[in-house]
Amino acid sequence: MSTHTPITGRPVRVALVGAGNRGLTYAEWIKAHPERAELVAVADPRPAARAAAGAPVEFDDWRPLVENRIADAVVVATQDRHHVEPVLALAEAGYAILAEKPLAPTEEETRRIVEGVERTGVLFAVCHVMRYTPYTDLVKKAVDSGVLGQLVSIDHLEPVGWWHYAHSYVRGPWRSEKDSSPMLLAKSCHDLDWITYVMGGRIEQVTSFGGLKHFRPENAPAGSAERCLDCAVEPGCPYSAPKLYLPTLREKGAVWPVTHVTEATDEAGLLRALREGPYGLCAYRADNDVVDHQVLAMRLTDGVTATFQMVAFTEQTHRQTRIFGSHGWLIGDGERVTVQDFRTGESTVHELGASGSNAADGHGGGDAGLVDAFVTAVANGDAGAVRSGPATSLGSHLAAFAAERARHTGTVQTVPAR
C-alpha cells in the first residue's frame, strides 16, 4: 500500500536541478506533456543552461527549493559528485525525487542517499533508463514466459563507441575518477542494473579486469601535437576533434555532442572552443584516467552466471546480449530479439525496428519511458510505477563498487545484500 498522496485535478509540478544534457532531456518530455506535468522551476548556476530549460522560475542554486516548496517533484541531474547534498535536503523537504545515475561516486555516499530517502519515505526513482525501453520489455517478457527454461547464464556487451568514449571519457567531464566516478559506475551501473532486472536476481559475487590501455601519451602518433587544430597527423586520427564535431555542426546544427563543447552555435565559436578548451586536446595527451576496457564475471542468485564487457573500441550502437537457458536461448541487439526453443527447434524473431541507442536520441525510448513512469507514480501516489527505486538501485551500485575492488586487487569480491 502506497503512503504517497495522489495528485488530482492538475498536472504534476516539477522542478529541475541541473540543466545539463540529461536534465534538459527530461525537461523536454515534461514540457511536451502539459496535461500531465508542468516544469515550474530550474536551478543551475549557468544562465544559459537555465534559459535552455525554459522554466518560469529560475534559481542559481537548489537551496531556494528547500526553503520554498513550489513543486511536487524534483529531477536532480547534477554531476555525479553533486547529488548527495541536494537529494537529501530535497527529500527532507518532502519532494518526490528522480535522481540521475550514478547516485554517488562512493559506496558511503550512495548508502547515505538510499538511507536518507528511505527514512523520509518520499517517492524516489533512479534514472536507469534501460529498464524502460520497449526492447527491454520484449526481452523481459521472453525471459519471464519460461520459454528459455531454467536460466543458466547471460553474456552482455556495452559497445561504448570510439568517438563517444573520446568525447565523454577522454576529453569530457567523466574522464577523471577523482572528478566524477569510475567508468564502470558512470557508464555501466545501467548495465549491471539491467542484468539483474532481466534475470530476476541480484549479483552476489564478482571479479573484474581492465584498465586504460590505449589513450596514453606513449601511444600518441609520431608528429602529433598538443591540440588537434595544430596537429600535422590529425586527418588520419580516428579521435580527431575537428572530425568529431565539425560535421555534426554543419549537418545537424548545435546539437549534442557539440552543445557539450561550446554554447556557441556557429563554426567560429566551435573552433574557438577547440582551440582553448578540453575538447580540442589530443586524445593521447588529455588528463583522463578512467578505463577504456573492462570485463566482469559474476555469480547471480541461484548460481546463474553472467559476463559483462564494456569497451571503447566499437561503433556507438546498442548493447548486445545473449541469454542461455536449459530449454532455449535468446539473442538481442537492441532492435530485435531472437529466441530459439530447443523443444521445437523453432526460432522466433521479434522486430522492434530502428531505435536510438544513445543520449542524443533518447536511449531507445528509455528516457521518455522513465519520465512517463515517474510522473505517473507521483500523480497516482504509487511508487509501483517506478522500476528502479532506492533499494533496487543500491544493489547495482554495490556490485559496481565490488567490481572495482576486484579489479584493483585481483580478487573475487562478495557483493553485500545491503
Side-chain angles (χ1 to χ4, degrees):
M1 179 70 69
S2 172
T3 60
H4 307 290
T5 304
I7 293 170
T8 58
R10 62 170 175 80
V12 175
R13 298 171 303 192
V14 183
L16 174 64
V17 173
N21 180 65
R22 303 307 300 141
L24 292 178
T25 295
Y26 305 138
E28 286 304 310
W29 187 96
I30 292 165
K31 291 187 291 184
H33 296 81
E35 74 286 357
R36 297 186 55 201
E38 177 186 6
L39 185 68
V40 297
V42 59
D44 194 294
R46 303 163 298 171
R50 296 197 301 270
V57 177
E58 298 182 6
F59 302 111
D60 61 7
D61 185 82
W62 53 267
R63 289 170 180 81
L65 294 171
V66 176
E67 298 160 3
N68 179 26
R69 184 173 169 184
I70 61 174
D72 307 301
V74 179
V75 176
V76 177
T78 54
Q79 283 292 314
D80 303 349
R81 289 192 172 271
H82 303 291
H83 287 175
V84 178
E85 190 178 3
V87 167
L88 292 180
L90 292 163
E92 289 288 345
Y95 288 101
I97 297 173
L98 176 63
E100 187 54 87
K101 64 85 194 167
L103 287 176
T106 68
E107 183 171 332
E108 185 272 334
E109 290 172 308
T110 302
R111 289 186 181 277
R112 279 183 59 200
I113 287 178
V114 171
E115 291 166 2
V117 297
E118 287 183 337
R119 183 176 61 253
T120 62
V122 297
L123 193 151
F124 184 79
V126 182
C127 297
H128 289 301
V129 296
M130 285 174 60
R131 284 190 178 227
Y132 296 88
T133 68
Y135 170 74
T136 296
D137 289 343
L138 185 56
V139 174
K140 181 73 169 162
K141 182 179 179 180
V143 170
D144 291 348
S145 73
V147 68
L148 303 182
Q150 184 180 35
L151 296 180
V152 177
S153 190
I154 180 172
D155 175 40
H156 186 66
L157 166 69
E158 179 176 10
V160 177
W162 84 94
W163 67 264
H164 188 194
Y165 184 88
H167 168 71
S168 294
Y169 305 99
V170 173
R171 299 171 171 126
W174 297 276
R175 66 185 181 271
S176 164
E177 288 194 17
K178 174 176 63 69
D179 295 332
S180 58
S181 60
M183 177 76 173
L184 182 69
L185 188 69
K187 189 72 174 75
S188 302
C189 66
H190 264 328
D191 298 271
L192 301 184
D193 174 79
W194 190 84
I195 288 170
T196 63
Y197 177 63
V198 167
M199 300 299 281
R202 76 176 191 89
I203 300 168
E204 297 181 345
Q205 285 187 303
V206 61
T207 192
S208 181
F209 302 94
L212 180 60
K213 183 174 180 62
H214 184 66
F215 294 98
R216 308 170 70 92
E218 59 266 30
N219 291 328
S224 59
E226 291 290 324
R227 287 190 173 272
C228 293
L229 293 179
D230 302 321
C231 185
V233 300
E234 173 269 325
C237 179
Y239 307 106
S240 156
K243 285 201 298 190
L244 173 55
Y245 301 113
L246 284 172
T248 299
L249 181 66
R250 291 166 180 166
E251 295 168 14
K252 300 180 181 179
V255 298
W256 185 88
V258 173
T259 49
H260 268 191
V261 178
T262 178
E263 293 179 357
T265 58
D266 61 343
E267 192 165 315
L270 174 58
L271 290 172
R272 184 166 54 251
L274 296 184
R275 172 70 62 191
E276 300 172 356
Y279 290 96
L281 289 170
C282 173
Y284 298 95
R285 293 178 170 86
D287 60 352
N288 61 304
D289 60 16
V290 297
V291 303
D292 55 20
H293 70 297
Q294 188 165 358
V295 296
L296 278 67
M298 297 165 277
R299 181 173 65 80
L300 278 61
T301 308
D302 296 329
V304 172
T305 57
T307 57
F308 170 66
Q309 179 171 200
M310 172 191 65
V311 62
F313 309 105
T314 68
E315 63 175 326
Q316 210 288 313
T317 187
H318 297 286
R319 274 81 167 177
Q320 314 290 312
T321 304
R322 296 181 294 178
I323 300 175
F324 308 91
S326 61
H327 288 58
W329 78 321
L330 178 152
I331 304 173
D333 67 359
E335 296 182 3
R336 68 191 58 80
V337 172
T338 302
V339 177
Q340 183 175 28
D341 188 333
F342 301 160
R343 288 160 290 202
T344 65
E346 294 181 353
S347 293
T348 305
V349 180
H350 305 273
E351 295 276 359
L352 282 170
S355 60
S357 62
N358 62 33
D361 42 33
H363 288 115
D367 292 347
L370 165 71
V371 188
D372 187 351
F374 178 67
V375 168
T376 297
V378 177
N380 297 338
D382 181 10
V386 168
R387 299 180 181 181
S388 52
T392 299
S393 191
L394 177 63
S396 60
H397 283 66
L398 293 180
F401 295 128
E404 281 298 277
R405 291 194 297 272
R407 182 174 71 87
H408 286 293
T409 61
T411 59
V412 176
Q413 292 283 317
T414 297
V415 180
R418 277 288 296 193

